[in-house]
Amino acid sequence: MKRLFLLAAMLLVTLPALGQAPTGQAPSGQPPSLWVDDLTWPEVRDAIAAGKRTAIIYVGSSEQNGPHMVIGKHNFIAHALAQRIAEELGDALIYPTLPYAVAGNAFTRTGHMRFPGTVSLPPEVFLGVIRGVGQSALTAGFKVVALMGEHGGGQDELALAAKELDAQARPEGARVLFIGDLYAKSRTMMRDILAQRGLPSTDDHAGIPDTSSLLYLEKPGQWVRKDKIALADPKSGVQGNPQLASAELGKVYLDLKVDLAVKQIRSLLASGK
């Protein structure tokens, strides 16, 4: 009798709770991750068949961010926000974050290419990459492809790729959308928020919004070198006032981006535009 009691106790400890997936596994019918990179091709196929109809293609950038902030700023933000946007939508999978955008001329050393570590794609190359990834998502069977970018360089190319691919996709019952509000509208709204708080509202690069974003996302000291934060200086690559940044402002800014992206995707689909 005692042995039976011990056996029952062991089973209760080792078996997953009734109706729940074992630890580390997704519920039945759901992919174990929202990232295409983490899935096998049958898992992607089955996820699409089960209702994951939206593909998120989010572009970051590898560029200088002054002496106080790491090159991968846009990529880390893009990765974090893509996950949140997909969760909010509920029907999305995410393609790998694209780490390169248009960040200056590598031959004449303009823009961010004045600083070591920056990577820039020529506009025509960037456009071709976006077209290729977007078409790949359509070929996979996604019915909505949402293109968005974290960096200012390449926004025009994202819009053009979406327009061209959308014209091809509509006859097949699919859509390709440019989610420009995530970048442009969020910047305008954040400037208003900073102004309302009595803070400088003209920060453009590696200033309050950018630095605040990484302060919110990072483990302390991971991506922001607080001892290197300085005032704006063209020679250092900083345009703004990063010394006034805070994790709280970063949360405000990132929440704003997620909200704008989700709303624009839903609005474009509802309006048919």
Side-chain angles (χ1 to χ4, degrees):
M1 189 71 179
K2 187 175 181 180
R3 288 183 178 179
L4 288 173
F5 177 79
L6 289 173
L7 181 59
M10 290 173 64
L11 287 171
L12 285 171
V13 170
T14 57
L15 287 176
L18 192 62
Q20 295 181 356
T23 302
Q25 296 183 20
S28 178
Q30 293 294 318
S33 169
L34 296 179
W35 291 85
V36 168
D37 256 6
D38 294 333
L39 307 177
T40 66
W41 75 260
E43 288 170 339
V44 174
R45 175 201 62 198
D46 294 347
I48 294 171
K52 297 293 186 186
R53 67 175 193 144
T54 300
I56 293 174
I57 298 172
Y58 202 145
V59 180
S61 180
S62 298
E63 65 191 46
Q64 70 84 20
N65 289 288
H68 71 284
M69 198 156 50
V70 295
I71 298 286
K73 172 198 74 182
H74 281 314
N75 298 324
F76 302 138
I77 294 172
H79 194 86
L81 297 195
Q83 177 76 27
R84 289 183 55 187
I85 292 167
E87 290 172 350
E88 286 282 332
L89 291 172
D91 70 345
L93 294 182
I94 314 160
Y95 273 70
T97 301
L98 289 172
Y100 307 128
V102 181
N105 190 304
F107 296 100
T108 59
R109 300 190 180 190
T110 61
H112 298 303
M113 287 307 301
R114 293 174 295 147
F115 303 89
T118 300
V119 178
S120 183
L121 297 180
E124 67 277 9
V125 174
F126 180 71
L127 176 60
V129 170
I130 296 302
R131 281 196 192 115
V133 180
Q135 183 59 60
S136 296
L138 291 169
T139 300
F142 289 99
K143 292 301 182 183
V144 179
V145 178
L147 307 180
M148 59 197 79
E150 189 63 30
H151 171 58
Q155 294 291 318
D156 290 343
E157 287 74 20
L158 283 165
L160 179 57
K163 182 178 179 180
E164 293 178 350
L165 289 172
D166 190 55
Q168 299 171 21
R170 279 184 183 246
E172 303 298 324
R175 296 296 313 280
V176 181
L177 312 173
F178 169 54
I179 310 306
D181 286 359
L182 178 142
Y183 178 78
K185 198 169 183 179
S186 70
R187 284 164 59 85
T188 299
M189 293 176 70
M190 191 61 187
R191 285 174 181 145
D192 292 340
I193 290 171
L194 292 175
Q196 290 167 8
R197 297 188 179 204
L199 295 170
S201 58
T202 56
D203 279 23
D204 189 50
H205 183 76
I208 297 174
D210 285 350
T211 305
S212 294
S213 296
L214 281 203
L215 286 174
Y216 177 69
L217 291 175
E218 74 166 358
K219 297 175 183 178
Q222 183 182 18
W223 294 324
V224 179
R225 319 291 192 242
K226 291 186 178 180
D227 61 328
K228 303 292 185 182
I229 293 178
L231 293 172
D233 181 356
K235 293 181 180 179
S236 73
V238 176
Q239 300 174 16
N241 300 267
Q243 75 279 8
L244 300 176
S246 69
E248 185 270 332
L249 282 171
K251 183 180 187 306
V252 170
Y253 191 32
L254 298 182
D255 286 351
L256 191 61
K257 288 187 174 187
V258 172
D259 185 59
L260 287 169
V262 172
K263 284 182 176 177
Q264 189 176 19
I265 291 170
R266 290 173 173 165
S267 175
L268 289 172
L269 291 176
S271 66
K273 294 181 179 179

